[in-house]
Amino acid sequence: MIHNRRIITAAAVATTVFALASCSPADPSSGKAEALGEAEYALCFSAASSDMDGESQDGKVVLVKDDGAFAGVQTWGMDMCSMEWTEKGLFFSDMKTDYLIDGAGLKSFENAKTDSQYAMLATAADTAVGLYNLGFSDVGYTTQVVTTTSSGTSLAEVEGSYFIAAQCEGEVFGIGLASGPYSKTGDPDTEPMVLSQLTGTKDGKEKVVGSSTRAREGAVLNDAPCHDGKIYYISDERRGGLDVAAKAVLSIWDTKTGKYESKALISDEATEPFISEDGIGLPQVTRQSLKDGKLAWYGVKDSIMSTDIKTGQTDRKFTVEAYSDNSASSKAIFTDADVSSWRITMMVLRTGFCVMTGTPGKRWGGPCWMKMPQTSAAVSSLGDLQ
């Protein structure tokens, strides 16, 4: 069966870092990572899926210590690579293998899959679930669901494309356009969005929990926050293409009832848009974005925003130094307390390399996607989010 993938280029980047401009490439291959050790950060880079041939190792995961020393694991590559750091260790995958690296060493499990990823989410300390974009099939659209533990890995295929993913109460959910047996119109502009449970179902397949014709694809998130069974994010509900004004809303999906609701964003700064009119730079949130009833998110004009999830009241808290063009896009790291002031500078995307600098003035070469352990305190506050 031949699969062709849907690609959303404006959001085909990880949501874990800020990106700036630079012209100083560096070689991250200073050593081979044998164990997690004292690593404080993990970075992943890969060739694009269109450039992978399956014959060469086109990717690398780099572990970085707090002093800037780093070591790498060569991989077969995974476009849009996503990682998960739990108490057990760091989970990541490439197109041929699933990995877990912890204090004892590196474990690898052969598991052939497609070469483009949506997300990697932990469902337990020793379990991570990866979602992979296989593409159109003869009957719909296929996502591969890979579950990895310290003892092995398994793969299942489900219906749908899920550019929005979240972990709620130990299960993984995806949000995307209805396809296959769930399709209503066959037209992407009028097709409903569906909320699907992708793990823990009776038959191992997807379970469509709810659908909505009001919800839109105006968000791409590999780690959306979930609280009390509800998934929250900022999206664009406009219809009719880019000629129509953007309509930024707080989107809420209830994983228990399947109900979708949205709240208009209310602000005293009516002159500043929440979402870019050209569709570039979609709002970013991560699982740590929601705290004390406020959703912190990174939005247009390099702003850190805060939205009250009950009222929709939205305030621009502060701006950050950032940069975006066709080869780079700004990213934000949210933790339980702060927004990190780490920056990553992306080189031309085909090189896969970046230059990373931190608040203490440290600088080193490295690749383009970053993941921090949830327990890491090696960040500095950019301001009060509440």
Side-chain angles (χ1 to χ4, degrees), residues 140-210:
Y141 202 94
T142 305
T143 288
Q144 294 177 321
V145 180
V146 174
T147 302
T148 303
T149 68
S150 57
S151 58
T153 189
S154 63
L155 183 149
E157 293 188 349
V158 299
E159 176 63 40
S161 62
Y162 300 106
F163 286 99
I164 303 172
Q167 187 268 106
C168 294
E169 300 176 356
E171 303 297 347
V172 172
F173 291 82
I175 300 168
L177 276 181
S179 61
Y182 312 108
S183 174
K184 301 299 182 183
T185 69
D187 180 356
D189 197 49
T190 57
E191 198 75 79
M193 295 284 283
V194 296
L195 168 68
S196 298
Q197 183 177 335
L198 304 179
T199 62
T201 60
K202 291 182 179 180
D203 59 1
K205 296 293 186 179
E206 76 286 345
K207 176 184 177 182
V208 173
V209 179

Side-chain angles (χ1 to χ4, degrees), residues 252-271:
I252 307 169
W253 286 91
D254 191 320
T255 62
K256 294 181 173 63
T257 66
K259 180 183 177 182
Y260 172 80
E261 63 175 313
S262 64
K263 297 181 184 293
L265 302 188
I266 304 169
S267 175
D268 297 331
E269 302 179 49
T271 59

Side-chain angles (χ1 to χ4, degrees), residues 84-86 91 120-125 127-129 167 170 172 287 374:
E84 183 65 298
W85 203 321
T86 73
F91 293 85
M120 178 81 78
L121 298 162
T123 56
T127 306
V129 176
Q167 187 268 106
V172 172
R287 80 187 71 171
Q374 296 179 40

Side-chain angles (χ1 to χ4, degrees), residues 104-120:
L106 177 66
K107 295 181 179 179
S108 58
F109 308 100
E110 290 186 9
N111 185 21
K113 65 185 77 64
T114 190
D115 54 17
S116 183
Q117 189 170 9
Y118 292 122
M120 178 81 78

Side-chain angles (χ1 to χ4, degrees), residues 216 218-219 233-239 244-251 260 262-267 272-277 281-283 297 299-300 305 307 312-314 316:
R216 303 296 294 149
Y233 57 94
I234 305 296
S235 69
D236 184 354
E237 270 194 353
R238 77 174 120 184
R239 291 181 180 272
V244 179
K247 183 182 178 182
V249 297
L250 171 65
S251 291
Y260 172 80
S262 64
K263 297 181 184 293
L265 302 188
I266 304 169
S267 175
E272 293 289 343
F274 292 117
I275 293 179
S276 173
E277 294 295 332
L282 299 176
W297 52 284
V300 73
M305 314 290 288
T307 295
Q313 176 65 40
T314 300
R316 197 179 306 269

